[in-house]
Amino acid sequence: MANGEAVELGYPAAKRLFAPGKKRILTIDGGGVRGIVSLAFLREMEDQLRKATRRNTLVLADVFDLVAGTSVGSMLATMVALGLPVAEMEAHFRDMAPKIFDGRMTIFGQRRFSAAPLVNSIRKIAKDERLGSAKLLTGLAIIAKRVDKGSVWVMSNNPKMPYYHDGPDYDGNKHYKLEMLVRASTAAPFLFTPAEMVIHTDRFGKTTSGWFVDGGVSPHNNPSLQMLLMASLPAYQLNWNLSPDELLMISVGTGLHRTPVDRNEKVVTGILKRSLLPASFKEDIEEAAFAAKTLRSMVADSGLFTLQVMQALANPRFAWQINSEIKGLEGQLMLDAASAYATVRRDPRGLLRFQRYDLPLETGGLVPPAYDVVATAPERAALHAIDDPSILEPLYQLASEAARKQVSLLDFEGFI
C-alpha cells in the first residue's frame, strides 16, 4: 500500500467504507429539475431518522456509508457526502435551478443551456474540494460517460479503487475537483456542451483531456445496480457482505414515467415550415428530432431495467411494476431460480435489503395504490419536463405526498 493511500484510509469517508459491520447505500437518479423530487424524499427520510434517533442535527451522511448519484443525482449525492442537511440542500437547489435552466430555444423546439451557471452553482457548495477531500464524510460515487473513449466512468473516493491514485499516464481520480465531476455527470447531450477534464499532466506540463457527458446516457441513470457491484465485486475492494441483514440500499428517483414517442409529432412548424429550405432538409430535421426523442427514451428503459434486476435480487417492502408481463416481480427472486440448478447460499429475502422511493408520473399502477399520489394523468404529464423550473413547486408538493406514504423506518430496521 502506498504511503498516500495509508494516510487516506484515515479519512472520514475511508473509515466508513472499510470499517466492519453493516453497510448502507443511498443512490439518487438523474432528472434535471426533477431533482426536487429526490429532495422531497431525502427530507422525509432525514425527518424520520431524526425522530427515531432523537438526534435533531442528524444528516444523511451520518446514516449512509456510500452515496452515489448520476447527473443531478451526482450534485445531490455530493451535498449529502459533504454533510449538508436536506433543508440547506433544497435551498441551494431552488436557488440554482432557475439560473441553470435559463436557455435559448433551438429549431428542434428544445432549449439549450450555458454550463457556466451550473459550474458556478456547484462551486458555491463544493468550494475547491476534490474527490480525495477529507471533508467528504462518507463514500461518494459519481457516474459520467467519457465519450472520446466510449466508456462509463464510476469515480469514487474509495482509496482502494484502481484509478484513485496517480498512474504512469493518468492523474488519480482523487485530484479531480468535485465541481468538475458534477459538471461532467450533468452534461446532458443537447442541453449542455460536453465537459472537458484534464486526465493527465506529464512532467513537461503537457495535458491530456477527456470529454464527458451525462451519466444518464449510460446504463446507470439509476446507479443502484452499479453500486451493488461496487459493494460486492473484488475489483472494487470493498467486499461488503451480501445479506439483507448486513447491506441496505435505498434508491431515490426523480419521477417515474415511460417515454412514448409520437411518430407523427412534427418539429418543423411555423416560420421554419414556410421557409425556402429544401423539403429534403426539413425531412432530415424531422428524422433527426425523432431519433433524438427515441434515444432519449432509453434513459427510462435503462432505469426500469435496473429496477427490475434490483427487485429480482431483493424482496422490497413494496415493488414497482416493471411492465404488464412480469408486473413487479413480487415473490420472484432471481436467486430462487438459480438454486434450482446449483447449490447457492440462498436467503428468501434476497441478497440485500432494498427499497425504491419515487414519484409516479403516470397513472396505471406503477406502484401499489397505498404508495401512489392523488393526481390525474394530465396533472402528472405536465410534470415530465426535466428543464422547466416552473414545475418545481407542483413537483415538490406531489413528491412530498408520495414521500409521506412511501418512506418508512421499517426499511431501516436493524440498520439504525
Side-chain angles (χ1 to χ4, degrees), residues 73-393:
S74 73
M75 182 190 300
L76 300 179
T78 299
M79 288 193 271
V80 170
L82 286 169
L84 273 64
V86 179
E88 188 174 338
M89 292 171 58
E90 184 182 325
H92 281 302
F93 190 81
R94 288 181 179 275
D95 175 66
M96 69 174 69
K99 299 173 183 175
I100 294 171
F101 294 97
D102 179 19
R104 63 177 179 84
M105 194 68 71
T106 70
I107 62 172
F108 295 106
Q110 175 86 52
R111 289 192 295 169
R112 293 202 70 184
F113 308 98
S114 167
L118 173 63
V119 174
N120 291 338
S121 296
I122 302 166
R123 186 175 297 138
K124 288 181 181 178
I125 301 164
K127 310 300 183 189
D128 202 37
E129 300 302 327
R130 300 172 187 267
L131 190 57
S133 172
K135 291 188 178 179
L136 292 169
L137 304 180
T138 191
L140 173 65
I142 292 174
I143 298 173
K145 175 79 174 283
R146 185 176 174 186
V147 289
D148 61 306
K149 293 293 185 180
S151 59
V152 179
W153 281 33
V154 182
M155 292 163 282
S156 170
N157 61 346
N158 172 2
K160 292 187 178 182
M161 289 275 280
Y163 294 102
Y164 180 83
H165 298 282
D166 295 340
D169 57 355
Y170 61 86
D171 300 333
N173 289 351
K174 66 179 181 179
H175 299 301
Y176 297 160
K177 286 188 176 182
L178 294 175
E179 68 178 59
M180 284 308 301
L181 294 179
V182 175
R183 161 76 173 101
S185 184
T186 54
F190 205 76
L191 298 183
F192 297 98
T193 57
E196 182 182 16
M197 282 202 306
V198 174
I199 303 304
H200 182 57
T201 304
D202 66 20
R203 60 193 182 94
F204 301 107
K206 182 181 178 181
T207 60
T208 301
S209 295
W211 290 93
F212 293 81
V213 297
D214 197 307
V217 297
S218 78
H220 310 303
N221 192 59
N222 175 347
S224 301
L225 181 57
Q226 178 60 49
M227 288 306 103
L228 178 60
L229 296 175
M230 180 177 285
S232 57
L233 288 182
Y236 294 106
Q237 300 192 57
L238 287 180
N239 299 316
W240 291 352
N241 293 329
L242 291 181
S243 163
D245 294 320
E246 297 189 61
L247 181 60
L248 166 68
M249 184 184 296
I250 300 295
S251 170
V252 181
T254 55
L256 179 61
H257 68 90
R258 295 174 179 84
T259 54
V261 180
D262 185 355
R263 183 71 176 91
N264 297 316
E265 184 181 3
K266 302 298 182 183
V267 299
V268 178
T269 59
I271 295 174
L272 187 59
K273 185 176 183 179
R274 297 190 298 272
S275 71
L276 298 178
L277 291 171
S280 59
F281 184 75
K282 296 176 184 178
E283 290 174 4
D284 290 345
I285 293 176
E286 292 288 2
E287 289 305 312
F290 178 74
K293 291 175 183 177
T294 303
L295 292 172
R296 202 155 50 231
S297 71
M298 291 179 63
V299 176
D301 295 340
S302 66
L304 280 170
F305 174 75
T306 295
L307 189 53
Q308 175 181 343
V309 174
M310 292 304 300
Q311 290 186 166
L313 293 174
N315 190 11
R317 181 171 51 86
F318 67 90
W320 292 77
Q321 179 168 296
I322 305 303
N323 56 47
S324 60
E325 185 175 22
I326 61 173
K327 309 297 183 184
L329 291 166
E330 293 90 340
Q332 301 181 60
L333 283 176
M334 194 184 300
L335 211 55
D336 289 341
S339 65
Y341 300 97
T343 301
V344 295
R345 181 171 176 267
R346 178 178 176 275
D347 189 312
R349 298 169 299 166
L351 293 180
L352 73 161
R353 180 93 60 87
F354 172 80
Q355 188 57 60
R356 170 74 168 183
Y357 302 145
D358 207 349
L359 171 64
L361 284 178
E362 66 177 63
T363 56
L366 280 176
V367 71
Y371 306 103
D372 206 343
V373 292
V374 180
T376 65
E379 287 171 338
R380 300 181 202 225
L383 303 177
H384 285 187
I386 64 171
D387 59 355
D388 182 4
S390 71
I391 65 174
L392 283 175
E393 196 52 40

Side-chain angles (χ1 to χ4, degrees), residues 8 16 23 33 45 50 93 95 126 209 244 269 337 360-361 363 381 413:
E8 283 154 5
R16 298 286 294 275
K23 297 300 178 185
V33 297
M45 263 194 288
R50 284 180 173 182
F93 190 81
D95 175 66
S209 295
T269 59
L361 284 178
T363 56
E413 191 173 3

